[in-house]
Amino acid sequence: MRKRNESVTVEHERAAAAPAPLDKGCSLRHSLRLPAAADDTGMKRPLGRRYGLWFRLRKLIIWLLGVYIAIPFLVKLCPAIQAKLVFLNFVRVPYFIDLKRPQDQGLNHTCNYYLQPEEDVTIGVWHTVPAALWKNARGKDQLWFEDALGSSHPVILYLHGNAGTRGGDHRVELYKVLSSLGYHVVTFDYRGWGDSIGSPSERGMTYDALHVFDWIKARSGENPVYIWGHSLGTGVATNLVRRLCERETPPDALILESPFTNIREEARSHPFSVIYRYFPGFDWFFLDPITTSGIKFANDENVKYISCSLLILHAEDDPVVPFHLGKKLYNIAATSRSFRDYKVQFVPFHTDLGYRHKYIYRSPELPRILREFLGKSEHEHHH
């Protein structure tokens, strides 16, 4: 049995060692598989994968290019899109807060009101009292807060920028700073922002501010009333103050934080416009629709008709409203005849401080700046 197994093994080895059969042309029969054929198949697979990846990448690039080209035409055909991007009132940050409860944001000395500037328009208002009245304010109703406006403390009407609400974090922190310095702070959400009812527009925002200003003046007696606008709120502020000066009821001072010259120049400089700034016809596609929507916020024109003291605050590292626009606005105001009897001051904040667009409230110099400026703000003549 062992011999038989050995013979079978020997025959198998011989068969394996025997040369492959040749046909008449002395070539290997076609049934023989060469290793080269396997190598070719192996090479085709990675080449196929690479080609498929390039094909998908090319499709993605073409699709993105199509979207990039289509957006300007879409904006041009629907100017309301550009208006939405200017206001950003649909961006509510922080989202999960109850604007009826300012105490949830650490404002225990603040009352929430609702005013009605026009029919079908309701705006939410916060009134924060000065630090000296904090203890007395706890648990008090709206009537007490309204009466408190007549106490011997100045009032600041704060006009916030686009996006968010009156409960935005940086805004709340500013209210606290101003309150600690002895000011009443009255702020509100324009129609269409926060819990305020109505559709946003430049005219509507300005009218809301006028209504709140008149509401304050009816209760504040002889106390000074200052207007503070931030970012887009500077456009509302100069619209308001121009109108007040035209009717000869100017505020005691105007403070502009991170202002621009006009909305066209700001839109051209905004980070959102970077990818289209050099697009052929940029003004026609993107800026003209803003004007078509009735949005101008022409600070550079308004300051020529304003007659009250003006303070401009701007951080050099502001990424939203470039520093040079605030400086340009100051230069226009400083040479305007309307300010010849009033103080005009520009305060820059160095890049190293990192205050950017909305953190000037952190400056330890801010109390001194306000004290020195507002202490000399009323009808200061240059002699």
Side-chain angles (χ1 to χ4, degrees), residues 24 27 49 86 94 114 118 122 130 136-137 146 153 201 204 222 273 277 283 314 336 369 377:
K24 291 182 180 180
S27 60
R49 281 197 297 270
V86 170
Y114 290 98
E118 295 178 309
T122 302
N136 294 335
E146 289 188 31
H153 296 276
S201 68
E222 297 299 317
S273 71
R277 200 166 293 163
D283 285 17
H314 213 136
S336 173
I369 293 168
S377 65

Side-chain angles (χ1 to χ4, degrees), residues 183-366:
Y183 299 100
H184 288 276
V185 182
V186 178
T187 187
F188 67 96
D189 281 320
Y190 316 105
R191 61 187 70 188
W193 270 261
D195 57 354
S196 297
I197 299 170
S199 298
S201 68
E202 181 175 354
R203 187 207 68 82
M205 294 163 72
T206 303
Y207 191 81
D208 292 345
L210 178 62
H211 182 80
V212 177
F213 178 85
D214 287 341
W215 181 87
I216 292 170
K217 289 295 288 183
R219 291 158 177 78
S220 60
E222 297 299 317
N223 295 326
V225 178
Y226 309 120
I227 293 175
W228 184 313
H230 172 245
S231 192
L232 189 67
T234 65
V236 181
T238 62
N239 280 349
L240 169 62
V241 176
R242 176 178 176 175
R243 186 162 176 177
L244 293 175
C245 290
E246 288 174 346
R247 75 177 195 184
E248 300 182 353
T249 58
D252 293 278
L254 171 62
I255 302 168
L256 301 178
E257 179 189 356
S258 307
F260 48 86
T261 47
N262 58 70
I263 198 63
R264 287 178 71 95
E265 289 195 359
E266 161 55 15
R268 189 182 290 112
S269 305
H270 198 279
F272 287 171
S273 71
V274 170
I275 61 172
Y276 284 105
R277 200 166 293 163
Y278 303 104
F279 190 88
F282 175 83
D283 285 17
W284 187 78
F285 278 112
F286 292 98
L287 304 185
D288 290 352
I290 298 177
T291 307
T292 301
S293 300
I295 303 172
K296 296 180 180 179
F297 291 114
N299 290 338
D300 50 355
E301 285 298 314
N302 288 338
V303 294
K304 297 175 184 177
Y305 300 91
I306 289 175
S307 299
C308 69
S309 295
L310 172 64
L311 172 64
I312 296 178
L313 311 171
H314 213 136
E316 293 178 355
D317 58 339
D318 190 329
V320 178
V321 180
F323 178 79
H324 71 85
L325 291 184
K327 187 67 174 178
K328 182 177 179 180
L329 181 64
Y330 165 74
N331 291 333
I332 294 170
T335 57
S336 173
R337 293 182 61 188
S338 66
F339 285 103
R340 66 183 180 272
D341 295 330
Y342 299 93
K343 184 176 183 179
V344 179
Q345 184 178 349
F346 182 84
V347 180
F349 294 86
H350 196 271
T351 300
D352 293 344
L353 297 171
Y355 295 152
R356 297 173 67 79
H357 183 59
K358 56 187 181 182
Y359 301 113
I360 287 176
Y361 73 84
R362 294 177 178 172
S363 172
E365 294 298 310
L366 186 59

